[in-house]
């Protein structure tokens, strides 16, 4: 079988065994089986289920880290395909199966044609998807001793349904937004619906709080300042005939600029305080899952712009997104580059949204991803040698 077919087979096997964060046991076993014949060293159980595979060059040199996330998303597969997820309520709706497949392909190529110098490590990272208050897989990896102290470059990619297969997008600066997750609990006093004056309505307070957050955040920023506020869950109440005592919401705030981020967080806190006093309820605000913006290193953007067009259709992305990724923690520590792998079928860009039950990819994107990531790794290994 040729390389493209082999990549499709790997991706479909991984897709079918989709597993949630820190439970990627079958996925880890599949990856270990695939790479154990190629890698010089393999470290398993990194942060629980992660795998770190290393390919060494013939001589000492730069160190490159490449990351592929392993976990799936808690949404039931909505595609009628032979490789559909066999895990009820869980599927690779964010394309992590493709990310792993691309990096497996890169490892195979590097093993077959070893770099002249340096080393490349591929981290298959658990738990990139982060529910409120849960730990980041990248942070968990960084808290172990598995990684080295220094890398000359860290490279990653993400499926991007807004681009067609065969193309790769590069953000000149910010590749992913900063993310701050929040939980707000409104605690009032329960009473019978017939005597609302005896209670303090947590649901009414929360309803006003949600609307006010959206309105005030929109007016506290200028139109050129990219911000996304989302309230994604609301829970509370016990009966239609009760003034509800406790109601909770969770959501996220996504920004690019540190100053705007601080302003928006302060605004959320002020709104919570004001609504609590107005309704005579207690408002408890908790921030969690705080993630910095993912910034691409200038020198690696220049590298991608130089070599990318030789292997794919390279697209300069004019507007940075408001999606977030804990790869930002690696790029905060070492020079990073995070690219967007086009995965849409021709003429269907943007139709299959990330995190939706119908997300799927044009598998021709896999070979494109391997071509680019291998080239970036090899060029990063030789850059300082050429500049001497």
């Amino acid at each position: 079988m040729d390389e493209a077919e082999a990549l499709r087979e790997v991706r479909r096997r991984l897709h079918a065994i989709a597993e949630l964060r820190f439970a990627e046991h079958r996925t880890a076993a599949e990856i270990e089986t695939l790479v154990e014949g190629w890698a010089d060293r393999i470290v398993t159980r990194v942060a629980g289920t992660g795998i770190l595979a290393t390919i060494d060059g013939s001589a000492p040199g730069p160190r490159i880290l490449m990351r592929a996330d392993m976990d799936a998303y808690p949404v039931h597969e909505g595609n009628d395909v032979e490789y559909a997820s066999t895990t009820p309520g869980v599927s690779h709706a964010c394309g992590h199966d493709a990310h792993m497949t691309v990096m497996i392909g890169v490892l195979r190529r590097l093993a077959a044609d070893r770099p002249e110098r340096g080393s490349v490590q591929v981290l298959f990272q658990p738990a990139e998807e982060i529910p409120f208050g849960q730990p980041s897989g990248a942070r968990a990896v960084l808290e172990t001793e598995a990684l080295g102290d220094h890398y000359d470059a860290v490279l990653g990619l993400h499926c991007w349904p807004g681009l067609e297969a065969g193309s790769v997008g590069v953000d000149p600066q910010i590749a992913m937004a900063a993310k701050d997750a929040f939980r707000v609990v409104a605690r009032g006093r329960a009473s019978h619906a017939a005597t609302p004056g005896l209670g303090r309505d947590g649901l009414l307070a929360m309803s006003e709080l949600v609307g006010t957050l959206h309105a005030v955040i929109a007016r506290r920023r200028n139109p050129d300042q990219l911000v996304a506020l989302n309230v994604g869950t609301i829970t509370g109440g016990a009966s239609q005939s009760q003034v509800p005592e406790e109601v909770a919401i969770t959501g996220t705030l996504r920004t690019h600029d540190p100053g705007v981020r601080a302003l928006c967080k302060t605004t959320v806190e002020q709104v919570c305080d004001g609504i609590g006093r107005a309704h005579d309820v207690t408002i408890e605000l908790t921030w969690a899952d705080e993630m910095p913006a993912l910034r691409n290193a200038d020198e690696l953007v220049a590298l991608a712009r130089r070599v990318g067009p030789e292997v794919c259709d390279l697209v300069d992305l004019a507007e940075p997104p408001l999606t977030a990724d804990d790869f930002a923690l690696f790029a905060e520590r070492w020079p990073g580059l995070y690219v967007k792998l086009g995965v849409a079928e021709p003429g269907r860009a943007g139709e299959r949204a990330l995190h939706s039950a119908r997300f799927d990819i044009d598998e021709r994107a896999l070979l494109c991803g391997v071509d680019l990531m291998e080239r970036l790794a090899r060029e990063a290994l030789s850059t300082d040698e050429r500049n001497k």
Side-chain angles (χ1 to χ4, degrees):
M1 111 180 20
D2 66 17
E3 185 178 21
E5 291 178 74
L7 291 170
R8 282 195 298 271
E9 182 178 302
V10 168
R11 183 252 167 174
R12 293 183 179 194
R13 291 210 304 271
L14 293 171
H15 187 94
I17 58 172
E19 297 169 295
L20 292 178
R21 47 182 282 112
F22 290 124
E24 309 95 334
H25 301 289
R26 289 184 296 166
T27 302
E30 185 75 29
I31 292 170
E32 185 178 0
T33 298
L34 286 167
V35 305
E36 63 182 354
W38 311 327
D40 294 308
R41 295 182 302 283
I42 299 175
V43 180
T44 60
R45 299 182 180 86
V46 177
T49 51
I51 292 177
L52 185 67
T54 303
I55 299 287
D56 292 319
S58 302
R63 302 185 67 207
I64 309 299
L65 177 66
M66 308 178 81
R67 196 285 306 257
D69 28 18
M70 301 167 65
D71 55 325
Y73 196 72
V75 62
H76 191 76
E77 175 90 46
N79 297 308
D80 184 17
V81 291
E82 62 181 11
Y83 52 88
S85 172
T86 57
T87 310
V90 179
S91 67
H92 274 295
C94 211
H96 296 183
D97 54 334
H99 305 170
M100 291 182 283
T101 302
V102 167
M103 293 307 182
I104 288 167
V106 172
L107 276 171
R108 178 159 48 186
R109 286 191 184 179
L110 292 173
D113 182 13
R114 290 185 175 275
E116 293 183 1
R117 53 199 296 270
S119 66
V120 175
Q121 290 187 306
V122 174
L123 170 66
F124 297 92
Q125 177 208 304
E128 186 276 325
E129 304 290 351
I130 309 173
F132 179 83
Q134 297 298 309
S136 149
R139 183 169 279 117
V141 170
L142 288 168
E143 289 173 352
T144 72
E145 297 181 354
L147 299 183
D149 295 329
H150 171 75
Y151 292 97
D152 295 274
V154 290
L155 307 175
L157 82 167
H158 201 292
C159 290
W160 214 244
L163 297 173
E164 293 183 5
S167 62
V168 176
V170 176
D171 297 281
Q173 291 184 321
I174 298 176
M176 288 284 184
K179 184 191 80 170
D180 296 283
F182 57 85
R183 183 172 188 261
V184 183
V185 180
R187 293 188 177 92
R189 184 168 64 241
S191 71
H192 194 286
T195 56
L198 298 178
R200 294 294 180 266
D201 195 332
L203 181 56
L204 180 61
M206 190 62 79
S207 299
E208 184 174 340
L209 188 145
V210 171
T212 303
L213 281 177
H214 283 287
V216 175
I217 289 290
R219 299 303 290 173
R220 286 283 182 93
R221 66 177 180 85
N222 294 322
D224 61 338
Q225 296 171 330
L226 291 177
V227 175
L229 173 84
N230 183 64
V231 175
T233 69
I234 182 166
T235 56
S239 166
Q240 63 181 11
S241 297
Q242 181 199 62
V243 172
E245 180 174 3
E246 183 171 306
V247 178
I249 62 170
T250 61
T252 60
L253 177 67
R254 298 162 188 266
T255 55
H256 289 161
D257 180 85
V260 173
R261 182 185 187 187
L263 172 65
C264 288
K265 292 184 71 174
T266 297
T267 299
V268 171
E269 292 162 2
Q270 290 172 340
V271 168
C272 289
D273 180 64
I275 295 295
R277 286 187 283 108
H279 287 267
D280 192 21
V281 300
T282 299
I283 300 288
E284 179 183 285
L285 168 65
T286 304
W287 294 103
D289 315 332
E290 294 163 290
M291 199 63 58
L294 198 171
R295 294 182 177 273
N296 284 334
D298 292 343
E299 65 272 22
L300 294 176
V301 171
L303 174 63
R305 286 173 170 169
R306 177 169 60 83
V307 305
E310 299 175 11
V311 296
C312 64
D313 178 15
L314 196 74
V315 179
D316 269 319
L317 299 175
E319 185 173 294
L322 285 161
T323 45
D325 193 299
D326 65 2
F327 183 88
L329 297 175
F330 300 120
E332 185 179 49
R333 187 170 298 197
W334 304 294
L337 178 69
Y338 193 79
V339 300
K340 313 296 175 52
L341 178 66
V343 295
E345 297 174 0
R348 299 187 63 183
E351 287 188 16
R352 297 195 175 195
L354 294 168
H355 288 189
S356 73
R358 297 298 304 278
F359 177 75
D360 205 351
I361 72 168
D362 182 333
E363 291 175 318
R364 288 174 292 188
L366 299 171
L367 193 57
C368 171
V370 174
D371 287 342
L372 179 64
M373 300 309 288
E374 180 204 11
R375 185 66 183 275
L376 288 172
R378 291 188 186 278
E379 290 291 324
L381 288 174
S382 60
T383 295
D384 67 335
E385 184 72 14
R386 286 200 311 269
N387 292 339
K388 287 182 179 179

